[in-house]
Amino acid sequence: MRSTTRTALTTVAAALVALSTLTACGGAQPSGGSHTAASTLPPAGTPASGIPEWCPTLDTHRVDCGTIDRDLVPGSPDLGTVQVAYALIHRTDQDTPAAGTILPNPGGPGVPLIEHADLALAAVDGDLLADHDLLLIDPRGTGRSTPLDCGVPDQDFLTLSRDEQRRTATRCGELLGPRAAGYTSAATVDDFDAVRTELGIPKVVLYGISYGTYLLPVYAQRHPDHVQSMVLSGAYPHDFDTLNRPNAEAVSLALQRICDRSGACDGAAAVADLRAVNARLRTDPLPVPGERPFTLTEDKFASLLFEAATSGVGSDPDPVLGTVPAALRAAVRGDDAPLRAFAVRAATAPVMENIDLYLAVACNDYPTIWSPDAPVTEREQQYRRAVAAAGEAGAFSAAGFSAAQRDGGDTCLGWPATTRIDHAAQPLPDVPVLVLSGDLDAITPDANGLRVAAKFPRATFVSVPNVGHVPDLVPGGCVSGLVTTFLRIGTPGATDCVRSIAPIPVTPVTD
């Protein structure tokens, strides 16, 4: 599945710190609105007149910043424009042409990038930036690119009840009205290509993280002649399972793997305990007190498990995933304190993305269980029938796990009908692609990463053991080294180093 927002966000935050033709005419060009550009040069000092106040100043790199105006909805200038902001971080070796321009997207949807320029710079191999430029673009609707605000609470959205999440998404769509159609992956990548055109960059190296692995292949579909190569970290396909059953099954796989590898618990018993706790939460939800109290239902527990618990695993020395088997066993025995402690910790990770944009893009783009053209009452009936017929999803009920998807399930039932593009049906270019997956990741599990890799003629898939969402963030240099080698020569080279990544710490389960 996609970033499932926050997970990707939290992981993206950790990541940064640790660190296609649809029409004959191709991608859209700048709309003819205002364009501004300016540069900052090291060392840092008082910026020259005309430099945007938000333009990053870096000690080691020259930075060009600017904005371009774009129609919010192509072909409907009456619906207004958005301003798309970029920061081009230049390579240190200015005596030779750039070997490439890396265009990253850290996921979400809705994660800004320009304000994290220093962290983005630190996340890329320094030698690589000797001869590669780094192009940071805030996607429309977030950061410096006309941020979207339709009243969705960023930090609290995860802990809202399912009915509240659905009502919030519906209100956002109602407030936007016809403007809702402007927040799509296709519009975003056309913005990116308009920036590329403005800067005269012939080709880009696409580097997608989480939702970025959904977004940047759309760029490759719409602008195939301008893609040099692609890295997709924590990937999921455009035609992912609308019931997200691979994600549910990945939760059980993750529990089995951490138990078997640590020796601290029995994997089969942990999955049995998970099934038992889910059955109880379906009829007897658990109140969770705290600064932002909420109720732990099966769907909320599922969301915290597959989103928060498998994010950052491998880069966090004390991963919350390692506490889950012991918390499940205690709950089965009648002690809910460890389960509440897990829920509080999992629910309080900081949110970096703009949830308004996150919902808008998800509701416009992602495949649904129902027909987007049907009336809402008919959509509800289609949804209920599909969930009822599905039975179980891993150790969860299909209804419980489907309702765990903040960007799926029934969240978008009330979203206005918009024209959709079937991205799964569009061809992809024949360029080198590296797909990375963590084998403890339930947000974008191995099964989905393999499906992504199979869609490209020249893709290399690497599953990284003992790592969760976004595997290139694991410390030690192994995975980041594979990425650097791939960007240099089009192949990651030998991948043996991933086998040296140690199992995560797991709280022992005692009988």
Side-chain angles (χ1 to χ4, degrees):
M1 207 188 95
R2 50 262 169 225
S3 68
T4 286
T5 46
R6 206 243 334 275
T7 320
L9 290 192
T10 348
T11 305
V12 166
L16 288 172
V17 172
L19 321 137
S20 35
T21 305
L22 289 176
T23 62
C25 59
Q29 300 302 310
S31 64
S34 65
H35 167 79
T36 61
S39 297
T40 60
L41 290 157
T46 304
S49 175
I51 295 177
E53 52 85 18
W54 47 261
C55 188
T57 301
L58 303 172
D59 290 336
T60 54
H61 293 264
R62 172 185 155 203
V63 185
D64 288 340
C65 293
T67 61
I68 59 173
D69 285 352
R70 304 273 296 161
D71 285 343
L72 174 62
V73 179
S76 299
D78 56 306
L79 294 178
T81 62
V82 291
Q83 194 173 65
V84 178
Y86 65 85
L88 178 63
I89 301 174
H90 288 271
R91 62 198 180 280
T92 54
D93 182 2
Q94 291 288 295
D95 295 330
T96 57
T101 299
I102 302 169
L103 173 59
N105 180 268
V111 181
L113 196 51
I114 292 174
E115 67 184 81
H116 302 296
D118 56 338
L119 301 177
L121 191 71
V124 179
D125 185 283
D127 290 340
L128 197 64
L129 291 180
D131 59 359
H132 282 71
D133 296 332
L134 185 63
L135 177 57
L136 310 182
I137 305 175
D138 281 350
R140 58 168 56 199
T142 192
R144 298 294 176 180
S145 295
T146 315
L148 175 62
D149 183 4
C150 55
V152 181
D154 291 348
Q155 188 62 50
D156 295 336
F157 187 73
L158 173 65
T159 54
L160 295 178
S161 72
R162 188 57 174 183
D163 285 344
E164 291 171 322
Q165 288 180 341
R166 177 179 160 181
R167 286 195 297 269
T168 299
T170 299
R171 284 197 301 271
C172 179
E174 290 171 346
L175 284 170
L176 288 173
R179 299 179 71 249
Y183 298 100
T184 65
S185 298
T188 299
V189 301
D190 287 351
D191 293 343
F192 289 3
D193 198 62
V195 171
R196 180 203 61 76
T197 300
E198 186 71 37
L199 297 175
I201 299 169
K203 290 180 181 286
V204 287
V205 175
L206 301 174
Y207 195 150
I209 294 174
S210 196
Y211 163 71
T213 70
Y214 183 100
L215 176 71
L216 294 183
V218 175
Y219 182 101
Q221 290 171 337
R222 296 176 73 83
H223 309 285
D225 294 338
H226 302 300
V227 179
Q228 182 170 326
S229 61
M230 301 175 67
V231 177
L232 303 175
S233 177
Y236 63 101
H238 293 140
D239 56 349
F240 60 83
D241 177 15
T242 54
L243 287 168
N244 296 292
R245 285 165 289 199
N247 307 79
E249 292 158 4
V251 174
S252 296
L253 283 173
L255 292 179
Q256 291 170 334
R257 286 167 176 164
I258 65 172
C259 285
D260 294 346
R261 294 168 185 175
S262 68
C265 46
D266 178 87
V271 174
D273 289 345
L274 173 60
R275 194 179 296 276
V277 169
N278 286 332
R280 172 160 69 96
L281 292 177
R282 283 197 286 275
T283 58
D284 186 19
L286 182 68
V288 179
E291 184 177 342
R292 292 191 299 276
F294 62 97
T295 300
L296 194 65
T297 53
E298 182 193 18
D299 61 284
K300 195 62 61 185
F301 184 41
S303 183
L304 295 176
L305 268 177
F306 93 93
E307 278 203 58
T310 70
S311 280
V313 177
S315 56
D316 183 349
D318 182 27
V320 67
L321 180 63
T323 71
V324 172
L328 291 170
R329 177 54 56 88
V332 167
R333 291 175 172 174
D335 178 8
D336 290 330
L339 191 61
R340 283 193 173 97
F342 160 81
V344 169
R345 183 177 170 194
T348 53
V351 171
M352 289 179 64
E353 76 259 70
N354 178 325
I355 299 295
D356 308 71
L357 180 64
Y358 167 76
L359 287 174
V361 172
C363 291
N364 278 329
D365 279 13
Y366 290 163
T368 57
I369 301 172
W370 65 87
S371 170
D373 297 324
V376 172
T377 54
E378 188 175 335
R379 293 180 185 181
E380 291 174 337
Q381 294 169 0
Q382 292 171 349
Y383 175 74
R384 292 195 191 99
R385 286 196 298 267
V387 168
E392 290 188 340
F396 305 87
S397 69
F401 200 77
S402 182
Q405 317 304 316
R406 288 183 294 157
D407 52 1
D410 60 352
T411 298
C412 300
L413 274 172
W415 193 257
T418 56
T419 301
R420 287 174 172 258
I421 297 171
D422 182 4
H423 296 299
Q426 309 305 316
L428 291 158
D430 184 4
V431 296
V433 179
L434 174 62
V435 180
L436 299 168
S437 181
D439 81 347
L440 299 181
D441 182 10
I443 302 168
T444 54
D446 277 357
N448 282 348
L450 282 165
R451 288 189 66 187
V452 171
K455 295 178 182 296
F456 289 92
R458 283 189 286 158
T460 301
F461 175 78
V462 179
S463 177
V464 184
N466 304 313
V467 174
H469 195 45
V470 189
D472 46 323
L473 308 179
V474 67
C478 168
V479 184
S480 60
L482 300 181
V483 171
T484 298
T485 301
F486 172 81
L487 293 181
R488 285 276 184 217
I489 64 174
T491 173
T495 61
D496 297 349
C497 65
V498 301
R499 293 199 291 269
S500 66
I501 297 173
I504 70 168
V506 178
T507 304
V509 175
T510 56
D511 292 318

